[in-house]
Amino acid sequence: MFLLRRGKDRVTVDQAHRRTQGADAPAVLLDVREQDEWNAGHAPGAVHAPLSRLTAGSALPSAVRGRPLVVICRSGNRSQRAAELLAARRAEVVDVKGGMKAWAAAGHPVVDGHGNHGSIA
C-alpha cells in the first residue's frame, strides 16, 4: 500500500504503471484528456474523465469514487490542474510526469477505443 498526498506529488510513468495496473492495483489511472485523444490511445484499464467536464463540475465516474487516483493527460500539464481540482474535492491524488507521451515512450501499453494498438499524438 502507498499513501497519496492530496494534489502535491507527481509520479513517474513506471510508478504510475505499478500503482494502477492489474487486478490488485491500489489506485486507478484517471485519464483527463478529451474524447478524441482517448479514442486514439489510452492505457488499458484507465478510466476516462475529461478535465473540461471536471472543471465544469461533473462528478467523477462511479468506478473511481473513493479510490486513490493517479491522473494522466498527454504531457502532464492538464493532469496537474486535474490533481489540484480533485485534491480540493478531497480525493487522494497524484499526477503523472510526462503524461501519456512518456507512458508510450517507456513502452507501456496503449490501446485505442476498439482495444487495438493505439497512438498518442
Side-chain angles (χ1 to χ4, degrees):
M1 186 67 170
F2 64 95
L3 296 176
L4 298 172
R5 293 190 184 158
R6 299 204 189 283
K8 304 277 187 215
D9 291 337
R10 303 193 85 195
V11 295
T12 67
V13 292
D14 291 333
Q15 291 169 319
H17 187 266
R18 282 192 303 274
R19 293 177 181 189
T20 63
Q21 300 300 296
D24 295 336
V28 175
L29 188 64
L30 185 70
D31 192 320
V32 297
R33 296 174 301 143
E34 294 304 316
Q35 189 69 50
D36 59 329
E37 296 171 291
W38 168 266
N39 290 344
H42 57 272
V47 175
H48 188 222
L51 179 59
S52 59
R53 290 188 191 157
L54 293 174
T55 58
S58 290
L60 284 169
S62 59
V64 304
R65 291 182 197 151
R67 301 264 327 265
L69 303 173
V70 177
V71 182
I72 196 164
C73 65
R74 186 176 68 86
S75 64
N77 293 323
R78 286 176 282 179
S79 62
Q80 280 186 294
R81 290 194 310 252
E84 290 171 4
L85 180 141
L86 293 168
R89 295 183 185 179
R90 307 186 78 54
E92 287 187 65
V93 59
V94 295
D95 80 287
V96 181
K97 292 184 279 189
M100 285 301 297
K101 289 172 70 173
W103 179 278
H108 297 302
V110 176
V111 296
D112 68 10
H114 301 287
N116 301 315
H117 179 72
S119 63
I120 307 302

